[in-house]
Amino acid sequence: MAHSSDVPVECVPQSWSPSYGDAVELDAFCSRKGHALAAQGGIESDFGLDLTSLDPADVRALDRSGCKRLAKEIREFLIENVTRSGGHLGANLGVVELTIAVHRAFDSPSDAIIFDIGHQAYTHKILTGRGGAFDTFRERKGMSGFPARGESPHDRVENSHSSTGPAWALGIALADGTRPVVVIGDGALTGGVAYEALNNIGVRQLPVLIVYNDNGRSYARTTSRLTLGEPCESEATGSRNVEQFFTALGFSYVGPANGHDFDDLEPAIERAAAADGPVVVHVRTQKGFGWSDAERDEIMRLHQVGGTVAAPPAQELPLATGPQAWGQELSDILCELAEQDPRVHVITAAMPDLLCLLEFRRRFPDRYHDVGICEQAAVGLAAGLASQGCRPVFAVFATFLTRGMDQIINDVALHELPVTFVVDRGGVAGGDGASSHGIYDVGLLRMVPGLDIYAPTSGDQLSAVLRSAIGRDSGPTVVRYAKWKPLRSDPDGTSVESVLRRRGSDLCLLAHGAMVQTAVAAADVMEREHGVSATVWEVVRLRPAVTDVFADAARHKAVVTIEDLAEGSGLYPDLLTHLARGRGTVPATAQVALPAGFLPWGIREELLAEFGVSTEAVVRHAEELLGLEPTEGSDAEAR
């Protein structure tokens, strides 16, 4: 589960930056970069290996002492590079030796090696020839922070969502009879979909090898008895738990092995590789191993770090922002609501820190529930709580909520239960790319009967919506916000339905959430450059539709909706439905939205501009709808 942009400093000890790259012809790029760096002296190790252009065969040729030196240098390389670029550093420092050992025992890409979850794959990238691309790591058009098929044939699965690796391995083994290898851990073995696939592998006795990276953590400590990691009371008891679990499913068991000691680790993986049928090798690792700063971080082991790459200059915003980030606003409101109402419970799927739930956990431990990386179970838990009169709040990133859609429909909405979903990272999330952008949730959720969707823009609006949701006796509520700072509240800006930000007569701009700033900025440009009088509506309640806003919009010559969602979802379909049912003159309309496809990684603001969701794009559409010539210097290319 890997993710988004700057984490509020109030919540976790260190934040990170959203600046991943694009997997475009990266094999050639890495080769060129490696040769260029080699010509300058490269990043050659003290025993002759160039970290910019390694090949798995080079690694297999080392003796064990060479492996130990290689692991030390890769760890130093990762610390140097990832503290610059930002990324999942703590998660990768724990699997350096494990990854080297896997590549020595198996012949990638002939042998499929699947990393679940994919944020553990940095050493894998170095061992497969991509070390030379780390100076573009997580940059647009550079190297991805996750496995990416466009980068290398060594990457089989583009996975930033967790627990899916065993099912891929099941399919590969059934299709061609080969032995796929799944490196699973860092919380991924808490996910129910992983257990479903393990059961099928065991029943069919397929030759799948599971390398269980047991560090006792995901972001925080793992919610599981199948671990020798930090929550475990006894190593002996924990080891029996894991062995009995896997053998009951039909797997052979090897381990536990010390994941930072080649003398213990390599023989264990070799024994597992020689076994017939399904087998698991249980490898105990320490997240953040080898870096004292990570080892001292009790909250996340520096799972993610911010980097020192300069961010783009902040844009001047027309509306003032408040002093706190969304996470801190949420923390304050939830604690206040729980103090007032003993029915309030909070649920997380292994992300208490990034969602700023640590204070709630401290103050209300009996009403705080971390289920691990199990979004479906989290929604089911919320339904069970609500059925008994509780008022559960499930806080989750937008991209991960979609994993629980079946439960949202059939366990919550069908039963008309008052469950509240707080959805963070709505819209373009930046950093992690295609599987982590929150641009599909509204399109899916708007079809759920009886479910209300809100997009507040200020802390006061968030508080008002949450209080209303907690006070409901039936029906679910979704409250979503993007990766931006809340607006400063004002007396006219706290409605939970809509806010009139600007009144005009020619053009109407409809926006919600982070796009309200864009709408107001575009209205300023249209007035300044064309003398166009523009209305700006901030739509807070997305479902059910606020028809009064659409009725007002219909009185203008042109209407533009502005949303950082996939095209075809959000406000625009509701606007068209309203206009189709009306009479009289229909205004010209346009939707400024993201393409209905998968977006790459990169800095959020740059991605929005690149894919046509910006002040300039709104102005261009408005000019076209109103039949205006672009003013000098304001054409599409200039914007």
Side-chain angles (χ1 to χ4, degrees):
M1 284 168 84
H3 311 300
S4 33
S5 136
D6 292 341
V7 178
V9 294
E10 302 95 333
C11 309
V12 296
Q14 189 164 357
S15 63
W16 64 293
S17 303
S19 54
Y20 283 41
D22 194 9
V24 177
E25 299 179 349
L26 205 74
D27 274 338
F29 172 84
C30 290
S31 177
R32 292 194 304 271
K33 198 69 179 177
H35 290 315
L37 289 174
Q40 302 167 19
I43 310 176
E44 189 170 297
S45 70
D46 62 6
F47 56 106
L49 288 180
D50 185 352
L51 297 186
T52 65
S53 57
L54 278 177
D55 184 271
D58 299 329
V59 180
R60 289 193 292 273
L62 295 173
D63 60 18
R64 199 160 286 171
S65 64
C67 290
K68 294 175 183 178
R69 294 198 299 274
L70 177 62
K72 177 178 180 294
E73 295 192 7
I74 287 177
R75 192 166 272 113
E76 293 171 351
F77 178 88
L78 288 174
I79 293 171
E80 177 183 354
N81 282 274
V82 181
T83 52
R84 178 193 60 81
S85 65
H88 295 86
L89 182 52
N92 282 279
L93 293 177
V95 296
V96 175
E97 290 86 358
L98 185 158
T99 307
I100 292 172
V102 167
H103 272 286
R104 283 167 60 79
F106 298 94
D107 183 14
S108 177
S110 298
D111 294 324
I113 301 175
I114 298 168
F115 283 84
D116 185 355
I117 169 172
H119 66 223
Q120 303 178 88
Y122 292 9
T123 298
H124 167 73
K125 286 175 179 278
I126 295 171
L127 299 183
T128 54
R130 286 170 278 175
F134 267 81
D135 64 345
T136 68
F137 191 50
R138 309 191 333 153
E139 294 177 5
R140 184 77 180 95
K141 308 266 187 210
M143 186 167 69
S144 168
F146 284 87
R149 291 169 297 169
E151 282 185 13
S152 171
H154 295 278
D155 292 355
R156 292 296 187 99
V157 186
E158 300 185 16
N159 56 332
S160 63
H161 286 196
S162 88
S163 311
T164 61
W168 272 79
L170 170 63
I172 291 170
L174 284 172
D176 57 23
T178 60
R179 161 158 281 190
V181 181
V182 181
V183 179
I184 190 168
D186 209 31
L189 199 56
T190 63
V193 68
Y195 298 142
E196 296 169 22
L198 291 172
N199 177 62
N200 277 277
I201 292 167
V203 167
R204 297 169 182 266
Q205 285 294 288
L206 293 169
V208 173
L209 191 147
I210 303 292
V211 180
Y212 175 23
N213 167 31
D214 179 7
N215 61 14
R217 285 181 167 266
S218 49
Y219 293 90
R221 295 186 176 187
T222 300
T223 303
S224 176
R225 292 177 65 86
L226 299 177
T227 177
L228 299 184
E230 297 176 30
C232 188
E233 297 178 2
S234 161
E235 179 170 327
T237 300
S239 178
R240 286 199 299 271
N241 285 346
V242 180
E243 181 174 6
Q244 290 171 0
F245 170 76
F246 278 104
T247 56
L249 289 175
F251 282 73
S252 300
Y253 175 86
V254 177
N258 183 340
H260 303 300
D261 181 355
F262 282 107
D263 294 332
D264 191 30
L265 175 63
E266 286 208 306
I269 291 180
E270 289 167 1
R271 288 198 304 274
D276 295 325
V279 59
V280 61
V281 55
H282 185 182
V283 180
R284 189 173 187 180
T285 65
Q286 180 182 346
K287 192 162 189 169
F289 182 79
W291 191 29
S292 58
D293 288 351
E295 293 172 356
R296 287 194 298 266
D297 173 16
E298 291 296 327
I299 297 177
M300 294 203 333
R301 294 287 186 266
L302 291 186
H303 175 85
Q304 297 160 306
V305 296
T308 58
V309 177
Q315 296 179 336
E316 184 176 347
L317 301 174
L319 301 176
T321 57
Q324 294 194 139
W326 279 114
Q328 191 58 54
E329 294 280 4
L330 176 66
S331 176
D332 293 347
I333 295 164
L334 288 179
C335 288
E336 182 182 343
L337 288 172
E339 190 72 45
Q340 298 167 354
D341 190 340
R343 301 176 302 167
V344 174
H345 289 243
V346 166
I347 302 167
T348 181
M351 302 182 73
D353 28 45
L354 296 181
L355 288 160
C356 293
L357 305 178
L358 298 176
E359 180 64 13
F360 189 99
R361 181 180 70 180
R362 184 188 70 80
R363 291 178 57 183
F364 308 100
D366 293 340
R367 289 186 275 156
Y368 167 84
H369 314 288
D370 185 346
V371 299
I373 305 178
C374 307
E375 291 82 6
Q376 289 177 294
V379 180
L381 166 62
L385 286 168
S387 73
Q388 300 304 301
C390 299
R391 293 296 181 267
V393 178
F394 176 28
V396 61
F397 281 11
T399 184
F400 301 131
L401 178 64
T402 58
R403 306 184 87 182
M405 278 302 301
D406 181 74
Q407 284 69 32
I408 293 170
I409 295 169
N410 292 302
D411 292 295
V412 175
L414 178 63
H415 293 80
E416 299 179 337
L417 293 171
V419 173
T420 302
F421 301 93
V422 175
V423 180
D424 197 343
R425 305 316 199 257
V428 174
D432 296 342
S435 63
S436 291
H437 293 304
I439 63 176
Y440 311 110
D441 58 307
V442 171
L444 295 169
L445 293 167
R446 68 192 300 273
M447 306 303 296
V448 178
L451 182 145
D452 293 358
I453 306 175
Y454 293 85
T457 58
S458 70
D460 284 349
Q461 281 183 351
L462 176 64
S463 177
V465 172
L466 287 177
R467 290 176 191 281
S468 174
I470 296 300
R472 293 178 63 161
D473 291 325
S474 66
T477 303
V478 169
V479 188
R480 72 187 303 274
Y481 44 79
K483 295 196 315 180
W484 60 290
K485 210 167 186 183
L487 300 182
R488 187 178 299 277
S489 297
D490 62 69
D492 298 324
T494 55
S495 168
V496 295
E497 290 193 356
S498 60
V499 177
L500 181 62
R501 288 288 178 180
R502 183 178 180 133
R503 170 55 76 189
S505 57
D506 302 319
L507 171 69
C508 185
L509 304 178
L510 308 179
H512 57 84
M515 296 296 100
V516 173
Q517 292 274 23
T518 302
V520 174
D524 289 342
V525 173
M526 290 300 293
E527 181 177 15
R528 183 175 64 250
E529 296 191 0
H530 296 290
V532 168
S533 174
T535 293
V536 176
W537 277 105
E538 172 190 329
V539 182
V540 183
R541 193 184 73 199
L542 306 184
R543 300 292 290 178
V546 183
T547 55
D548 290 350
V549 169
F550 296 144
D552 182 74
R555 302 185 185 102
H556 295 73
K557 298 175 184 176
V559 185
V560 180
T561 62
I562 309 154
E563 305 173 87
D564 55 345
L565 297 173
E567 187 178 22
S569 62
L571 294 173
Y572 195 63
D574 288 336
L575 171 66
L576 295 183
T577 298
H578 179 89
L579 295 177
R581 291 173 178 169
R583 296 180 179 178
T585 304
V586 176
T589 65
Q591 179 184 31
V592 171
L594 296 162
F598 295 109
L599 300 185
W601 46 89
I603 295 173
R604 180 175 180 272
E605 292 74 15
E606 293 177 352
L607 287 174
L608 287 171
E610 179 177 348
F611 290 96
V613 180
S614 62
T615 299
E616 293 77 13
V618 175
V619 170
R620 185 172 68 251
H621 280 288
E623 289 169 341
E624 292 172 355
L625 294 178
L626 294 171
L628 301 171
E629 290 292 330
T631 57
E632 185 177 352
S634 68
D635 57 90
E637 288 300 319
R639 291 184 183 129

